[in-house]
Structure formats: C-alpha cells, structure tokens
C-alpha cells in the first residue's frame, strides 16, 4: 500500500461543477502539499498546510490530522483547471507523492 | 511565492553524451535542493537531496556516478546526466527549500524534458 493515496485517479467534470479530490496518508507528517501539474509538465505548489483549512481563489484545501486525510476542493470549475493534481506529504524532511488525480473539465 | 527556474526546459541529445541541467532559486537562498525524475503517467521519484556545500545524498537505486549533482551555491544546483542513454529519457524536476523563514515549503522548478536518441 502506498504511503499516500489519492482518489479518484481520474475525474471528469462539466464547467461550473464543484470538485473534490481526496488524499489519505499513513505516515506521520509535518506538512501536506497540494500541487498542480499541467500537460507541459511544470509543477505549481497550490497549498502547504499542516492543520485546518486554506483558501485561495476558487481553491480550498482542508486537512484532518487525526484522520490523516486531506481534501482539495475547486469551486466553479473551469476548463483551465484541467491538470494533474498531486498530493504530497513531508515526513522527516522528505516529500512522498501520491499518484495524482487527472482532472478534465469540459466546457 | 518563491521562484525556482530550470534550464534548459527541453533537451535532445545523442546517446553517450552528457547533459547538464541547472536549477536556480531566483529570489531566495536554497539551503536544500531536491532532484526528481518523472516517467510518463507516473509520480515524481526523488533521486537525490543536496545541501549547499556538501555532497548529495542519493536515493537507493540512483547511480551517483551517472547522475552528478553539484550544489555549489545557495542559489544554484546542477544535475549532470553522464553518458546518457535512451532509458534516461525522462522529465527531471528540481525543487528548493529555503531558510527558516520559508518554513517547510518546497518550491518547484518547471522541469526539464530530456530525450536521449
């Protein structure tokens, strides 16, 4: 079993829909990251959080340390949100990555 | 947020040649830099961790003589793929972690796509 599991692996949505991507982890962490990778390959860090909730524009990330679970929400999704979303955890100074969720938002 | 650049963004080379990839932190001092590789449709795999002024720490299975890493300054790390072969074709990504003020966050470069013919 991977230390970081994401679900779903693939997600298709219509423009405007509310989207949730889940991440569960099994190790002790000091931080959890949500990353976005566009088809060109470059990675953008969306959030780093260790507790609670963070919001940036249409993106919201939450984490429940007791349950070892985090969610990334996208409100009013748009085709430009189409990308791979990666959950990663920092444990003992190293990042461990989930397999990623491929999000496709259709107009 | 902090900015990390990589150069080149894309490189095609012949088998047997060496390729150098640069990773720079543009607006902060990176005490630690990480090098990852990513195969198509797979997650990032950590290759090595380098701290400024010291030797890189390689992950198990990564050949240190093939993937030479130099972190000579607080803003620059280089990865040299020596005697590249087609199986080295991959997407190489660096990330950088700064001093205490930037906390635990890693900032990612845009990646370098290496194709070895």
């Amino acid at each position: 079993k991977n230390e970081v599991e994401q679900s779903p692996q693939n997600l298709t949505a219509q423009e405007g829909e509310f989207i949730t991507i889940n991440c569960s982890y099994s190790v002790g962490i000091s931080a959890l990251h949500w990353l976005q990778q566009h088809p060109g390959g470059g990675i953008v860090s969306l959030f780093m959080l260790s507790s609670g909730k963070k919001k940036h524009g249409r993106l919201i990330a939450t984490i429940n340390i007791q349950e070892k679970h985090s969610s990334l929400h996208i409100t009013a999704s748009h085709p430009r949100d189409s990308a791979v979303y990666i959950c990663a955890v920092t444990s003992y100074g190293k990042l461990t990555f989930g397999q990623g969720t491929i999000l496709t938002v259709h107009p | 947020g902090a900015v990390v650049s990589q150069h080149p963004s894309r490189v095609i080379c012949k088998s047997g040649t060496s390729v150098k990839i640069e990773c720079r932190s543009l607006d902060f001092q990176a005490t630690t830099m990480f090098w990852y590789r990513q195969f198509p449709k797979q997650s990032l795999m950590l290759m090595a961790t380098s701290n400024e002024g010291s030797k890189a720490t390689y992950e198990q299975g990564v050949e240190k003589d093939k993937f030479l890493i130099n972190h000579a300054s607080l803003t620059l790390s280089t990865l040299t793929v020596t005697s590249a072969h087609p199986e080295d074709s991959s997407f190489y990504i660096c990330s950088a972690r700064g001093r205490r003020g930037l906390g635990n966050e890693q900032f990612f470069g845009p990646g370098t796509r290496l194709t070895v013919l």
Side-chain angles (χ1 to χ4, degrees):
Chain A
K1 190 176 187 295
N2 293 333
E3 292 179 339
V4 182
E5 294 272 359
Q6 284 183 239
S7 64
Q9 291 186 350
N10 286 279
L11 181 56
T12 302
Q14 287 297 124
E15 183 173 357
E17 286 185 356
F18 180 84
I19 287 161
T20 296
I21 301 171
N22 295 299
C23 175
S24 296
Y25 54 92
S26 58
V27 295
I29 69 169
S30 53
L32 183 142
H33 308 254
W34 281 102
L35 311 170
Q36 180 192 57
Q37 186 172 28
H38 277 285
I43 288 180
V44 174
S45 180
L46 299 175
F47 294 104
M48 183 184 76
L49 63 167
S50 54
S51 66
K53 175 180 173 178
K54 286 189 177 181
K55 184 176 189 293
H56 181 70
R58 295 180 294 107
L59 302 178
I60 303 167
T62 63
I63 187 169
N64 185 316
I65 297 294
Q66 287 73 31
E67 293 185 5
K68 296 189 174 180
H69 180 270
S70 174
S71 293
L72 175 69
H73 305 286
I74 304 175
T75 61
S77 60
H78 190 276
R80 64 174 175 266
D81 296 327
S82 299
V84 178
Y85 291 84
I86 303 169
C87 171
V89 299
T90 301
S91 180
Y92 297 100
K94 287 189 178 179
L95 270 179
T96 302
F97 297 86
Q99 288 297 103
T101 296
I102 302 171
L103 172 65
T104 305
V105 182
H106 293 294
Chain B
V3 179
V4 175
S5 70
Q6 274 185 246
H7 179 80
S9 59
R10 188 180 295 268
V11 57
I12 300 172
C13 69
K14 291 183 179 179
S15 186
T17 61
S18 294
V19 175
K20 180 186 282 189
I21 302 169
E22 292 186 349
C23 176
R24 292 182 186 273
S25 57
L26 298 183
D27 52 359
F28 69 102
Q29 292 183 325
T31 51
T32 306
M33 284 187 170
F34 305 84
W35 286 97
Y36 301 89
R37 66 187 298 183
Q38 184 182 37
F39 291 107
K41 298 188 179 180
Q42 293 190 24
S43 190
L44 284 77
M45 182 192 80
L46 179 65
M47 298 175 66
T49 303
S50 74
N51 294 297
E52 186 265 338
S54 61
K55 287 184 179 180
T57 302
Y58 289 80
E59 296 298 301
Q60 195 171 9
V62 178
E63 299 175 59
K64 62 180 182 182
D65 294 330
K66 181 166 183 64
F67 299 99
L68 301 177
I69 291 172
N70 184 283
H71 190 169
S73 77
L74 283 170
T75 59
L76 174 64
S77 176
T78 59
L79 167 67
T80 302
V81 183
T82 62
S83 187
H85 288 281
E87 58 264 30
D88 298 324
S89 298
S90 188
F91 191 61
Y92 292 87
I93 303 169
C94 74
S95 73
R97 189 168 66 202
R99 294 193 181 279
R100 209 171 297 164
L102 292 170
N104 225 356
E105 190 161 3
Q106 286 188 28
F107 301 94
F108 290 85
T112 297
R113 188 161 301 282
L114 170 64
T115 303
V116 185
L117 302 175

